[in-house]
Amino acid sequence: MRREVRALLHVLLGAAVLHISLFSELYLRYVRKELRPYLIASGLLLVVVGLVGAAVAAQELLRPGRRTRAEDGHDHGTPRTAWLLLLPVLAIYLLQPRALGAFTAQHSDSTAAKPADPAGGFGPLPANGPVALRLADFDARAVWDTSGSLKGRQVRLTGFATPGPGGGSWYLTRLTITCCAADAQTSKVEVHDADAPPEGTWVEVTGTWQPDGRSGAVPALAADRVRRIAEPGDPYE
């Protein structure tokens, strides 16, 4: 690959990384917010490397008595595959891929992380309700908490709607990532006593845990209130 082309690709890739991490919050669609400093540092490094490479290429072009690579018989051009590196840049600027959502959730099972000590791994809930919980935490308590801390407690959960296994049933769903979207895990709660919103709609559901939910693999919630909300800036838990 020619040096000037390599320099251009470095600058464009670095600028794309800075665009999503320094000048916007698009990076939250792909990675956790804790990784933002590393993205910014990587973007800056790519831009600096590209600018240095461009300066070196310009110096060579202006050097007196310089023989071209074609004259030396070493000019093999730029491989077509090298231009594939521009695809992520074009995707970020032109397409702006969305965060993982309903499609991903429908093709994955609900996961309730088991604590190391189920008997003592859950702290007490606040005395006043409704208690705002991460959907993944609600699932873990519903499945593994032997003390029954959710029994009779009103909770408030946030997620997006996905279709349930039967006609009219639906899940409140949220994706959790450890590092990036590639390791996303799904948390689901089957919502009862409320009409299903359109698929992918973000809602806040207030209700009470139902230990005898119809689906044994997915915890159930008897809804008291379902309120539509805007998609959060950070769509993952």
Side-chain angles (χ1 to χ4, degrees):
M1 185 188 300
R2 298 179 62 174
R3 178 172 288 154
E4 56 269 28
V5 175
R6 187 165 59 243
L8 175 63
L9 289 175
H10 276 133
V11 170
L12 291 177
L13 286 171
V17 173
L18 292 176
H19 169 68
I20 66 172
S21 59
L22 183 60
F23 303 112
S24 73
E25 293 190 342
L26 289 175
Y27 74 98
L28 291 173
R29 298 179 181 180
Y30 318 112
V31 299
R32 293 190 65 83
K33 60 182 178 181
E34 292 82 2
L35 296 179
R36 186 179 196 181
Y38 301 100
L39 286 176
I40 294 174
S42 299
L44 289 173
L45 181 60
L46 284 169
V47 170
V48 169
V49 169
L51 292 177
V52 171
V56 172
Q59 259 187 342
E60 286 189 356
L61 287 173
L62 298 175
R63 178 163 48 87
R66 166 187 170 273
R67 289 171 60 86
T68 66
R69 294 178 64 88
E71 292 172 338
D72 290 336
H74 299 300
D75 188 10
H76 302 293
T78 300
R80 292 182 179 179
T81 53
W83 295 107
L84 293 177
L85 293 173
L86 284 177
L87 293 180
V89 178
L90 295 175
I92 289 173
Y93 282 110
L94 300 179
L95 303 179
Q96 294 189 359
R98 296 182 59 82
L100 300 181
F103 178 82
T104 301
Q106 286 184 61
H107 293 80
S108 57
D109 295 327
S110 182
T111 302
K114 182 179 181 179
D117 179 16
F122 299 96
L125 295 175
N128 298 323
V131 181
L133 288 175
R134 294 169 68 246
L135 206 148
D137 292 339
F138 176 86
D139 276 3
R141 284 180 181 268
V143 174
W144 300 109
D145 187 5
T146 56
S147 70
S149 61
L150 287 176
K151 189 174 182 179
R153 297 301 308 275
Q154 193 178 48
V155 298
R156 185 168 61 246
L157 307 174
T158 299
F160 53 86
T162 54
S169 66
W170 63 286
Y171 295 135
L172 181 69
T173 309
R174 197 76 184 263
L175 296 171
T176 302
I177 63 175
T178 302
C179 173
C180 61
D183 61 29
Q185 293 187 319
T186 304
S187 300
K188 297 179 181 179
V189 172
E190 187 175 6
V191 181
H192 299 172
D193 305 329
D195 293 334
E199 180 181 336
T201 302
W202 280 84
V203 292
E204 178 187 87
V205 180
T206 303
T208 308
W209 173 49
Q210 285 193 314
D212 54 347
R214 291 189 294 267
S215 174
V218 180
L221 189 78
D224 299 319
R225 180 190 182 198
V226 176
R227 181 173 68 91
R228 293 194 183 192
I229 60 173
E231 179 178 340
D234 185 355
Y236 306 113
E237 286 189 329

